[in-house]
């Protein structure tokens, strides 16, 4: 793991987005270090998806800043952040239902350049275990396979930071084991920010954990520290 | 090339071959009609790239057709340009106006985009009327015979005109097929299917749509210029809303998002109107009824339905 003194891969300061009176993200200071698997946890409606939407550029904040390395990306359009290496996989599966599995992943691959398109696409599919399903329309896949396709699209972008929003939702137990192996194989080349409700997955994978409640950071630390944290117990884990 | 690629290109080449042979077995009257259909099909192929593949429902393509027509026709009229340069000017004119239209209209989407493109096309039409002393207004003007020759061939005569129309059609079809099978073709479809998801894969929807619309404008410009040169007439009536609706009908009839749909749609509509005109003066009604039937029973158009039911490999 990278030393905590070097420039974080992602740093947010005072990041804020309110929906009317609802403080979805409320002054979040957050540091993500290169090479870690960082889990973002918190109860439903805590603001996790909204927070990563700000990181990926799907939404713009009302206040605060986001830096990627030393660069301020607070106002950078989403597609340019993708090109800078921030990939986002959707919580609500968002593949192209009427396109083939191959085309879905090829779209991600070709946005980096046209070289070896077919081979790189097949490689990304093989990493998530979807090889052989290339010619199928995405909408004909099972829900679990669509989650894996979503993951393959994120991987195919060859990102520096991969944001996974509840990736194991709807996966079978055996698929979750494969998923854990896969995520471990990504670091340290790729940094992973993982939103996850399955605590076994979080405790197994994460090198650090940030807990959000009501749009604010309740605690940040190693899995052991978070488990021992009384206010986290009260707000979330004990619930 | 993969097996599917070979099959697809063979199919398209076979169509070109059949069309080439048509000049030998069609009467001159019908051959001239077919030349007209091929030119209109080029217009529709361009519309299809924007609408069928990229999902841009424009109601302003008459502006782009007229841009090509006048960009070719005016230099011919004013400075006696010959067919080659006039054709190139027409293609460039269509592309240029499409790019400007896109820069302004692509800030909107959906219904607003339809309205904005419609307004720009109306503004274009009124501009042509306003400058009637130069443009000829609704009456238009005839293109001089000297501007209708290419490499010594007189394009106002049957055989050269047919071959010129076929050549433009063949190039348009080949480019369109290559485009939709390329990575950019995949990107266009992605924008049509889900713009937000495409953005999160690193694509800028605005630039993709602008490129698609500009390419569409090159096609419209080529069709407008070809019409002026091959049929010898330029007029503001080609900038009316009717010519914005026409390519949409062709594409819907033949199958939006299919490479051969625009031609098939143009052909079927043309034949339908011919037949209807023979039976009744209310031929618009018959065309309308055919379209209602199509929307009800085959909303994906002829080739869209064929692809869905039988030939999954159709591009
Ligand atoms: N577009 C929106 N407009 C209004 N309120 C919104 C919008 N998006 C999210 N919210 C609200 O903001 C809060 C945070 O939502 P968010 O989706 O970020 O939570 P989450 O932590 O991802 O929850 P979950 O674990 O259920 O996915 C919720 O109360 C939600 O209802
Ligand atoms: Mg969420």
């Amino acid at each position: 793991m990278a030393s905590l003194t070097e420039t974080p891969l992602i740093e947010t300061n005072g990041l804020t987005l309110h929906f009317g009176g609802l403080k979805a993200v409320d002054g979040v200071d957050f540091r993500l270090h290169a090479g870690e698997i960082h889990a973002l946890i918190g109860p439903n409606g805590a603001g996790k998806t909204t927070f990563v939407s700000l990181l990926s550029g799907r939404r713009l904040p009302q206040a605060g800043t986001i830096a990627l390395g030393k660069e301020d990306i607070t106002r950078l359009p989403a597609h340019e952040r993708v090109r800078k290496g921030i990939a986002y996989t959707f919580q609500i599966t968002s593949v192209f239902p009427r396109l083939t599995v191959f085309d879905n992943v090829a779209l991600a691959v070709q946005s980096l350049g046209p070289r070896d398109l077919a081979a790189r696409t097949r490689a990304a599919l093989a990493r998530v275990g979807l090889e052989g399903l290339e010619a199928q329309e995405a909408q004909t896949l099972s829900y679990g396979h669509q989650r894996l396709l979503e993951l393959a699209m994120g991987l195919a972008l060859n990102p520096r930071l991969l944001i996974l929003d509840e990736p194991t939702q709807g996966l079978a137990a055996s698929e979750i084991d494969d998923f854990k192996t896969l995520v471990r194989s990504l670091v340290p080349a790729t940094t992973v920010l993982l939103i996850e409700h399955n605590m076994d997955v979080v405790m197994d994978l994460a090198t650090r954990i940030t807990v959000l409640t009501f749009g604010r950071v309740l605690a940040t630390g190693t899995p052991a520290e978070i488990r021992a944290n009384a206010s986290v117990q009260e707000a979330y884990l004990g619930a | 090339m993969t097996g599917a690629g070979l099959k697809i290109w063979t199919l398209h080449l076979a169509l070109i071959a059949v069309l080439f042979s048509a000049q030998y077995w069609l009467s001159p009257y019908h051959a001239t009609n077919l030349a007209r259909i091929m030119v209109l099909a080029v217009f529709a192929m361009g519309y299809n790239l924007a609408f069928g593949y990229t999902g841009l429902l424009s109601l302003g393509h008459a502006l782009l057709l007229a841009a090509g027509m006048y960009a070719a026709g005016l230099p011919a009229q004013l400075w006696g340009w010959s067919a080659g340069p006039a054709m190139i000017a027409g293609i460039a004119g269509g592309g240029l106006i499409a790019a400007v239209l896109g820069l302004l209209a692509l800030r909107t989407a959906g219904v607003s985009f339809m309205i904005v493109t419609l307004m720009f096309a109306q503004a274009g039409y009124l501009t042509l009327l306003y400058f009637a002393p130069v443009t000829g207004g609704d009456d238009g003007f005839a293109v001089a015979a000297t501007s209708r020759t290419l490499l010594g061939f007189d394009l106002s005569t049957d055989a050269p005109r047919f071959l010129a129309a076929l050549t433009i059609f063949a190039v348009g079809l080949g480019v369109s097929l290559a485009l939709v099978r390329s990575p950019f073709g995949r990107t266009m479809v992605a924008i049509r299917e889900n713009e937000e998801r495409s953005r999160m894969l690193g694509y800028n929807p605005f630039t993709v749509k602008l490129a698609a619309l500009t390419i569409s404008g090159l096609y419209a410009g080529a069709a407008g210029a070809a019409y002026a040169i091959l049929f010898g007439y330029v007029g503001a009536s080609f900038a009316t809303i009717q010519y914005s609706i026409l390519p949409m009908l062709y594409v819907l009839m033949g199958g939006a998002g299919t490479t051969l749909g625009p031609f098939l749609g143009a052909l079927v509509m043309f034949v339908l109107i011919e037949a209807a005109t023979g039976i009744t003066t209310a031929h618009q009604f018959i065309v309308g009824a055919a379209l209602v039937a199509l929307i009800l029973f085959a909303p994906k158009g002829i080739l869209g339905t064929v692809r869905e039911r039988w030939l999954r490999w159709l591009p």
Side-chain angles (χ1 to χ4, degrees):
Chain A
M1 203 175 119
S3 125
L4 296 184
T5 54
E6 77 183 49
T7 310
L9 181 64
I10 290 280
E11 175 167 0
T12 75
N13 283 301
L15 207 58
T16 299
L17 182 63
H18 297 177
F19 295 114
L22 190 112
K23 298 173 173 176
V25 175
D26 193 28
V28 170
D29 299 335
F30 174 78
R31 264 149 214 66
L32 182 65
H33 297 283
E36 66 177 341
I37 298 176
H38 194 127
L40 191 60
I41 65 173
N44 290 117
K48 304 179 297 293
T49 296
T50 308
F51 175 69
V52 295
S53 301
L54 295 171
L55 295 186
S56 68
R58 292 186 67 209
R59 294 185 177 283
L60 291 180
Q62 287 150 348
T65 58
I66 308 166
L68 172 66
K70 290 189 165 57
E71 187 186 356
D72 184 340
I73 59 164
T74 312
R75 299 271 137 197
L76 200 67
H79 58 267
E80 288 180 34
R81 296 191 204 191
V82 176
R83 292 184 176 273
K84 288 190 182 293
I86 301 179
Y88 174 74
T89 69
F90 286 66
Q91 172 171 9
I92 298 166
T93 303
S94 176
V95 298
F96 296 95
R98 300 199 295 170
L99 301 192
T100 63
V101 168
F102 180 91
D103 281 343
N104 268 278
V105 176
L107 276 164
V109 172
Q110 74 185 29
S111 81
L112 305 174
R115 214 172 28 80
D116 298 333
L117 184 57
R120 281 153 64 212
T121 301
R122 294 212 174 82
L125 282 169
R127 282 183 90 172
V128 300
L130 287 183
E131 64 269 51
L133 297 178
E134 281 122 56
Q136 282 205 29
E137 256 179 41
Q139 62 189 359
T140 66
L141 296 182
S142 69
Y143 181 76
H145 280 173
Q146 290 192 22
R147 294 298 306 163
L148 292 176
L149 178 57
E150 179 87 45
L151 182 60
M153 291 161 79
L155 289 178
L157 288 168
N158 205 6
R160 288 161 72 191
L161 166 61
L162 180 60
I163 301 171
L164 300 168
D165 198 346
E166 300 196 21
T168 65
Q169 204 182 50
L171 293 194
S174 65
E175 288 172 326
I176 290 183
D177 285 339
D178 291 343
F179 167 79
K180 285 197 270 193
T181 312
L182 176 64
V183 170
R184 276 199 202 93
S185 76
L186 298 177
V187 288
T190 300
T191 307
V192 176
L193 179 59
L194 173 71
I195 298 179
E196 185 58 70
H197 279 300
N198 183 332
M199 275 309 130
D200 293 338
V201 174
V202 169
M203 293 303 171
D204 241 26
L205 280 179
T207 39
R208 284 204 309 148
I209 299 174
T210 292
V211 186
L212 275 189
T213 52
F214 301 111
R216 296 184 146 269
V217 175
L218 184 66
T220 297
T222 63
E225 286 164 356
I226 293 298
R227 238 191 245 122
N229 185 311
S231 53
V232 173
Q233 291 287 348
E234 190 185 323
Y236 184 45
L237 292 178
Chain B
M1 194 180 290
T2 62
L6 197 63
K7 191 157 62 175
I8 287 166
W9 279 99
T10 307
L11 174 70
H12 287 70
L13 286 173
L15 172 67
I16 303 292
V18 169
L19 289 173
F20 178 80
S21 76
Q23 60 186 317
Y24 302 112
W25 46 265
L26 280 181
S27 69
Y29 169 74
H30 284 117
T32 301
N33 276 346
L34 184 55
R36 211 181 292 269
I37 290 168
M38 287 191 288
V39 170
L40 289 172
V42 170
F43 184 29
M45 283 192 282
Y47 191 83
N48 190 33
L49 290 173
F51 166 63
Y53 286 95
T54 320
L56 297 171
L57 186 49
S58 150
L59 284 181
H61 263 57
L63 176 67
L64 310 178
L65 181 73
M69 185 171 257
Y70 276 95
L74 281 179
Q77 168 90 342
L78 299 173
W79 308 305
W81 284 21
S82 65
M87 184 74 208
I88 291 166
I91 295 173
L96 182 70
I97 298 294
V100 173
L101 177 68
L103 283 172
L104 299 167
L106 285 172
R107 292 160 197 280
T108 66
V111 176
S112 316
F113 181 76
M114 290 164 66
I115 294 171
V116 171
T117 48
L118 176 67
M119 304 273 279
F120 274 108
Q122 279 306 103
Y125 173 58
L126 294 175
T127 306
L128 289 175
L129 293 187
Y130 184 80
F131 290 104
V134 183
T135 64
D138 264 333
D139 294 335
F141 58 84
V143 178
T146 49
S147 295
R148 300 177 64 191
T149 59
L150 183 71
L151 308 171
F153 291 103
D154 182 356
L155 297 177
S156 64
T157 56
D158 286 341
R161 171 164 53 205
F162 185 88
L163 283 179
L166 178 64
T167 305
I168 294 163
F169 174 77
V171 171
L173 185 65
V175 169
S176 149
L177 179 59
L179 198 65
V180 305
R181 285 172 56 78
S182 75
F184 184 70
R186 188 180 281 126
T187 307
M188 293 195 300
V189 171
I191 294 287
R192 178 192 74 195
E193 293 289 309
N194 189 342
E195 202 171 309
E196 179 58 18
R197 188 65 182 99
S198 307
R199 186 191 291 284
M200 298 315 294
L201 292 176
Y203 298 102
N204 183 347
F206 181 80
T207 52
V208 174
K209 289 192 279 189
L210 185 62
L213 190 63
T214 303
I215 296 169
S216 186
L218 295 171
Y219 273 78
Y227 208 95
I229 294 163
L230 300 184
F231 301 100
Y233 170 76
V234 171
S237 58
F238 285 92
T240 56
I241 173 87
Q242 193 189 339
Y243 279 90
S244 291
I245 304 282
L246 214 54
M248 187 198 304
L249 296 188
Y250 292 165
V251 166
L252 286 174
M253 170 74 76
T258 66
T259 50
L260 296 171
F263 171 74
L264 190 62
L267 180 69
V268 169
M269 289 287 283
F270 199 95
V271 170
L272 214 59
I273 290 174
E274 280 270 299
T277 314
I279 302 166
T280 161
T281 50
H283 63 267
Q284 298 276 19
F285 174 78
I286 299 215
V287 173
L291 274 163
V292 170
L294 183 80
I295 304 283
L296 287 179
F297 299 111
K300 297 192 166 162
I302 301 169
L303 288 182
T305 306
V306 168
R307 170 162 68 191
E308 194 174 62
R309 299 255 174 92
W310 300 289
L311 306 177
R312 308 281 324 176
W313 52 271
L314 270 189

